[in-house]
Amino acid sequence: MRARPGRTATLRSQVTIDRFARSAGRAVTACRPAPRALFPDHPVVDVEQAEAALAEHYPRLVRLAYLLLPTGPGRSRRVLTAHALAQRALPRGRTAAPVIPAQAAQSAQAPQSAPSAGRDGDPGYALVRLQVVRTALRAGGSLGRGVWPRWRRRAPLPPPLPQVWGLRLHPRSGGADELALDQRLSALSGPARAAYVLRGLERLADGDVRKVLTDAGVADAAAALREADGVPAEYQLLGSPAFDPCSLQARPTDLLRRRRHLKAALAAGAAFVVCGALLGPPGDGWGPDGAAAPPYARNPAAQAALDPAKLTRVSHAAWKTSARTDFSVWPARGDLTGDADLLRRALAVWTRPGERVQVSTTPGTPSGGLAGPPQLLYAGTVDNARVVILHDGLRIARYAEPEDGTRGAALDFARVDGAGRAGASAVVLSRTDGNVRYLTAPWVRETRRRDLREPDADATDLTLTDGVTPPLAGPALRAGPCTSWNVLELTDEAGTRLVTDLAELVPARLTAGRPGAAGEASGAEALRTWAPFACSLASVRSAGVRSVNAWAFAEQPLPDGGGGSADWACTRAETWRGGGARVLAQFHTPGGPFGTVVAKAEDVPQCGAREPRVLAGVLWKSPAGAWYLLAAGSRDTTSVTATGGVEGTVRGNLLTVEAEQGAQADLEGTLEDGGSITGLR
């Protein structure tokens, strides 16, 4: 274990394509024509400076290209085209950079905000950004292509690189807000869409946006700005994972159809007949199935799974007499449980989702078709969408479509096998405008909203309507600093428990206490344990988390007038799939608003029921300015030893040793049973 100065850890997803961009950029430069000297009065940028800017800000440039491209070709082609445009933004030689006034003014001073740090005032970034905007508008047909008349112009060909064969790639699915924004942006012209994105993603003033659009070749930038004013300024949504083409989900193409096409090609004369039979939908066609892809096989079991009349429906009183208390005894609720057309579309899309359906799955959750008729849990209208929730014994599936049609349909999967009373207490019904609605289990009698950051504040009562909660401010996808963390408090005949939204279909259960003997996090002591560490839950979003436990394993007096004792806690997030558990060791000083993550690990037994023990350390600076290595182990630790950059040994589970700033040390402890433990790493 390497102990470093105390700091709050941020789990940041580093896309490996950054390294690819460096090599790809060099390869592309040899194929590009020499750029024109469009900006003789602006600073000159070397290829190396532009390459450094492209490599550092590659994810943002690809997101910019993705948002500027039209939605027509489909999300998979849109993702690949966005990467191609970003990689082709590297100039061939020294080029004048159009640094806009706002950037030039800001580069001479400290960065104004974290999001703009490292970009404002960088001529290299301004150059590659302009090239991305220009090529994205040209790829969308928004800029002229020479002197040829419009009827002689051809649609742009797909970029030769990058290419993906046999897979469909698309970003993670967003909520109703992201879907609505994407639809509004697709209705804009290319320049207006660029104006909106430059305002929201790049935080540019209107004058700077007008200059970038003009430099990119837009004839009437003022008209583009006026058109962009017609879309609500929901700029925070542009940073959503739904618009991140560097964090992708992969699905195979239709494998059976691909194999048949290969055989048809080898059959020469019969190729056209076979391909026509495969591509043409048999039977009733695909009108009744909405956004589903054409069927490729028909058999009695498959047809039964698509029949709304054969859906399993449980009575409202079944849970009261059943030996099981899980999703299998949930009744069918909602105002559309009798809408056979809606249910048929939901079943068809689950079996074979079409190209335009946004599909998301939690890690470890299979997304295959149905083996038989599933159980209907909910079908109703929620927040201007029609929602269907189904359960097949292994997974929960949520199908959602707009009220005015099937364009923009979404399908979400979550694994729930082995769920008991606590794990089957609620599912997320919808997310709109940063709010979350839950559908609760039939045995839940009371629901409340509680801020996990405020352990002494009273919970707010929520009124259930047919098991559905009112909108609750969700913490999972919130932008900006963490000032609160809302959780749902559920009460039934077995007691009270807390669950929290982690950007998945099924909320995670919160517990507190020593692993193996942890209880619900709804008690006063458990709430105080969780309060300083609540915001660390953001680090396990979208990880398929089933439950998170917080264990306060030590309390350590602070040296050199530190003002009291610091708390050590270990949080462990267990997943539905079993593997991938994440462990965080956290350190909280008196009066501090948040705990600091000092060590983290994945797929380790420490801090869990199998090994309810942990050892961690941190470099801490006292109010007097001295540095110390502080280390703590669980209560069964009899001695702690530090080696390396800091040397020291102590009997007991608490170690305090003077150290130098930046020193690194390895920790090892001895247990009561004679065993040993190393620092969490």
Side-chain angles (χ1 to χ4, degrees), residues 24 79 155 173 192 204 212 263 271 286 364 386 388 415 426 444 462 472 519 523 638 677:
V79 165
S173 299
L204 297 183
V212 172
K263 292 180 179 179
W286 56 310
R386 292 187 290 263
V388 178
R415 184 172 175 174
V444 172
L462 302 175
L472 178 70
T638 58
I677 182 174

Side-chain angles (χ1 to χ4, degrees), residues 149 187 213 220 231 257 270 352 367 372 432 451 523 646:
L213 293 179
D220 193 350
V231 178
R257 182 179 298 172
R352 48 187 199 281
S367 59
T432 305
D451 185 357
V646 181

Side-chain angles (χ1 to χ4, degrees), residues 289-313:
D289 297 337
Y296 55 81
R298 289 183 181 269
N299 58 68
Q303 291 302 307
L306 297 176
D307 187 354
K310 295 185 178 180
L311 283 169
T312 301
R313 298 173 186 251

Side-chain angles (χ1 to χ4, degrees), residues 413-612:
F413 291 100
R415 184 172 175 174
V416 292
D417 51 315
R421 176 185 287 266
S425 294
V427 297
V428 173
L429 196 58
S430 72
R431 289 189 180 87
T432 305
D433 298 329
N435 296 323
V436 181
R437 287 185 189 267
Y438 296 91
L439 176 65
T440 61
W443 54 82
V444 172
R445 296 192 306 235
E446 298 176 358
T447 58
R448 299 179 182 86
R449 178 190 62 81
R450 179 178 290 280
D451 185 357
L452 201 58
R453 293 275 296 117
E454 299 292 339
D456 298 325
D458 293 333
T460 303
D461 292 333
L462 302 175
T463 301
L464 293 177
T465 304
D466 198 17
V468 179
T469 68
L472 178 70
L477 301 178
R478 178 183 52 200
C482 177
T483 57
S484 63
W485 192 277
N486 288 332
V487 297
L488 183 64
E489 185 175 281
L490 305 170
T491 301
D492 57 30
E493 59 186 11
T496 301
R497 63 183 59 89
L498 300 182
V499 296
T500 184
D501 176 32
L502 293 180
E504 295 178 343
L505 190 51
V506 180
R509 176 190 179 193
L510 299 180
T511 60
R514 179 180 174 85
E520 302 295 342
S522 54
E525 183 177 353
L527 291 173
R528 285 191 290 271
T529 298
W530 262 112
F533 312 113
C535 293
S536 67
L537 288 167
S539 65
V540 292
R541 291 180 296 191
S542 303
V545 174
R546 179 173 188 165
S547 64
V548 187
N549 182 63
W551 174 32
F553 65 87
E555 183 178 343
Q556 184 170 18
L558 296 175
D560 202 11
S565 298
D567 296 320
W568 287 89
C570 180
T571 58
R572 181 181 179 93
E574 301 286 357
T575 65
W576 287 98
R577 64 189 182 276
R582 299 185 182 181
V583 178
L584 302 178
Q586 304 193 53
F587 180 76
H588 178 234
T589 55
F594 306 104
T596 299
V597 176
V598 299
K600 56 186 176 181
E602 186 169 338
D603 279 327
V604 296
Q606 288 94 330
C607 197
R610 296 199 175 196
E611 287 192 19

Side-chain angles (χ1 to χ4, degrees), residues 166-170 249-253 350-353 357 359-361 367-368 413:
L167 287 176
R168 295 199 301 262
L169 302 177
H170 55 84
Q249 292 182 328
R251 287 179 57 82
T253 57
W350 184 344
T351 302
R352 48 187 199 281
V357 177
V359 181
S360 70
T361 60
S367 59
F413 291 100

Side-chain angles (χ1 to χ4, degrees), residues 69 74 80 97 99 161 191 200 230 235 251 267 269 271 343 375 394 414 455 479 498 531 587 620 633 639 653:
L69 288 171
L80 297 179
V99 180
L161 289 175
Y235 298 140
R251 287 179 57 82
L343 299 178
Q375 176 188 353
L394 171 67
L498 300 182
F587 180 76
W620 176 78
S639 67
N653 66 329

